[in-house]
Amino acid sequence: MSRIPQPRNILSLSGEEKRKFLDSFEYVFSDIDGVVWNVANIIEGSGEGFNALREAGKKLTFITNNSVRPEEQCLEKLKKVNIEIDANDLIHPSKSIIEYLKSIKFEGLIYAIASESIKNALRKEGFQIIDGPHAIIEESFRDLMGVVVSRDPVKAVVIDFDFNLTMTTMMRAHFYLRRPDCMLIAGASDYALPVTKDLSVLGPGGFLKVLEDSSRKEMLLFGKPGKALADSLLKRYSISDPSRALMIGDMLDQDIRFGKLCGFQTLLVLSGGVKLDELLQQTDENVIPNYYANSMHDFVEFINDVKKSHA
């Protein structure tokens, strides 16, 4: 029976191990929520940690599953934490979905169960969007069929995080997916959304799975840990050696699994959705990171230690 690998705390590494680890990657891909900030507040020292990595010559790219916050707002909020990046280095579900649709020269009607942010981004790029129904349906099967059955020539269903998702919208999505030429495209796949260290709420992941299973369609997932997103990312940055990249996140199923899928090194920060005892009890090697840290601020001390060892 093979031994389950244990993640290592970056501050517990020896001076030589710290230097080798820092030299082992040039790209840093990171989640945002739970790493830079939580719902209520900025995570102390996160900006300093990322800037320490940048000063050490690492290229920073952020990957978020949060489609509710538009790309522009996300960039502005990062700037307030003294993390300034180009828009090209923020990977957002709406951007990834739009890039894919353009790459296949998609033409047709899209049925969207998604945030206004994603729907507006799709419209801005010239795609035709329909959504709904938004009315309350009486408990009548005849009335229900009247809003579920549709003649609209929908060629793609896009599902992401929709605060107003209903059984009716799911049934209409399933109706469109019965058509052989209708694609299923998804953004965020989180099953749980951490609010604080002790509180999480239901995420959209279960609803995506319902549509994938009921329609028997292969879902193109452009949120972490989607293979479609992984393929897009590796192509965008022309990464020939994935082991030279580090994926940082606060969630095992989304961030660490995604990093492993890409072939990246992985690091979990304990400032978001996972506690240390949960991490150490993990037995699934696909979600066990190579390293962990209390928060991004640990990288300030880590890089100072590396500098001292070179002095």
Side-chain angles (χ1 to χ4, degrees):
M1 187 173 179
S2 61
R3 182 175 174 272
I4 297 171
Q6 288 293 305
R8 301 190 67 188
N9 186 321
I10 60 169
L11 295 183
S12 70
L13 301 175
S14 68
E16 180 65 14
E17 288 172 329
K18 286 175 181 172
R19 184 191 63 77
K20 284 184 176 179
F21 173 44
L22 188 62
D23 290 344
S24 71
F25 62 92
E26 53 193 305
Y27 296 95
V28 172
F29 295 98
S30 178
D31 183 34
I32 300 177
D33 291 278
V35 180
V36 181
W37 54 64
N38 286 316
V39 172
N41 56 279
I42 301 297
I43 296 169
E44 186 176 355
S46 58
E48 291 88 337
F50 279 111
N51 283 318
L53 284 170
R54 174 175 275 161
E55 289 168 9
K58 312 306 176 183
K59 178 174 175 52
L60 304 182
T61 299
F62 291 88
I63 310 172
T64 180
N65 274 7
N66 187 345
S67 65
V68 177
R69 182 182 294 112
E71 180 181 354
E72 298 77 11
Q73 287 184 19
C74 195
L75 288 169
E76 189 59 33
K77 192 169 180 180
L78 283 169
K79 190 174 181 180
K80 290 179 180 177
V81 195
N82 296 318
I83 301 173
E84 294 198 41
I85 59 167
D86 186 270
N88 290 328
D89 292 322
L90 173 64
I91 309 300
H92 188 279
S94 62
K95 181 188 292 184
S96 301
I97 290 170
I98 287 167
E99 286 180 355
Y100 172 73
L101 292 172
K102 286 184 173 180
S103 74
I104 63 170
K105 297 179 170 57
F106 178 85
E107 293 183 1
L109 193 59
I110 296 172
Y111 178 67
I113 302 176
S115 66
E116 287 302 316
S117 171
I118 279 194
K119 289 187 282 191
N120 289 337
L122 287 165
R123 291 187 187 105
K124 185 178 179 181
E125 294 297 326
F127 294 105
Q128 292 180 284
I129 305 295
I130 60 171
D131 57 14
H134 302 294
I136 300 297
I137 307 300
E138 295 294 331
E139 292 186 0
S140 158
F141 192 74
R142 178 178 295 177
D143 290 347
L144 179 64
M145 289 302 99
V147 296
V148 168
V149 176
S150 168
R151 294 178 180 271
D152 294 320
V154 168
K155 294 294 182 66
V157 168
V158 171
I159 179 169
D160 190 81
F161 194 23
D162 183 352
F163 285 13
N164 297 300
L165 177 149
T166 66
M167 183 67 177
T168 312
T169 54
M170 289 287 288
M171 291 176 77
R172 182 177 278 191
H174 177 264
F175 179 83
Y176 291 134
L177 288 167
R178 293 167 60 251
R179 301 170 182 170
D181 61 346
C182 184
M183 297 186 297
L184 175 58
I185 300 173
S189 64
D190 309 57
Y191 278 81
L193 303 173
V195 178
T196 67
K197 274 187 170 291
D198 300 310
L199 173 65
S200 62
V201 296
L202 182 67
F207 301 107
L208 273 59
K209 182 65 173 170
V210 166
L211 280 186
E212 183 179 41
D213 289 348
S214 64
S215 68
R216 298 182 182 177
K217 289 278 178 79
E218 180 182 358
M219 178 171 60
L220 294 169
L221 180 58
F222 288 97
K224 298 167 294 182
K227 186 178 186 304
L229 178 61
D231 293 342
S232 170
L233 195 70
L234 293 170
K235 182 178 180 182
R236 173 197 279 259
Y237 289 95
S238 301
I239 298 174
S240 57
D241 182 2
S243 69
R244 295 285 302 165
L246 175 68
M247 179 70 206
I248 299 173
D250 73 306
M251 298 292 285
L252 298 176
D253 277 321
Q254 275 68 47
D255 304 318
I256 304 307
R257 189 181 297 277
F258 179 71
K260 298 263 186 179
L261 179 64
C262 292
F264 299 160
Q265 297 184 65
T266 53
L267 182 143
L268 183 85
V269 288
L270 300 173
S271 52
V274 179
K275 297 178 182 178
L276 180 58
D277 59 343
E278 294 176 288
L279 170 62
L280 298 180
Q281 289 169 14
Q282 269 298 324
T283 57
D284 181 355
E285 294 188 23
N286 293 312
V287 299
I288 297 176
N290 303 107
Y291 303 94
Y292 73 91
N294 290 314
S295 72
M296 282 305 300
H297 190 256
D298 283 2
F299 272 104
V300 176
E301 180 180 342
F302 174 88
I303 290 176
N304 282 336
D305 288 346
V306 173
K307 289 177 180 177
K308 288 176 186 175
S309 69
H310 275 74

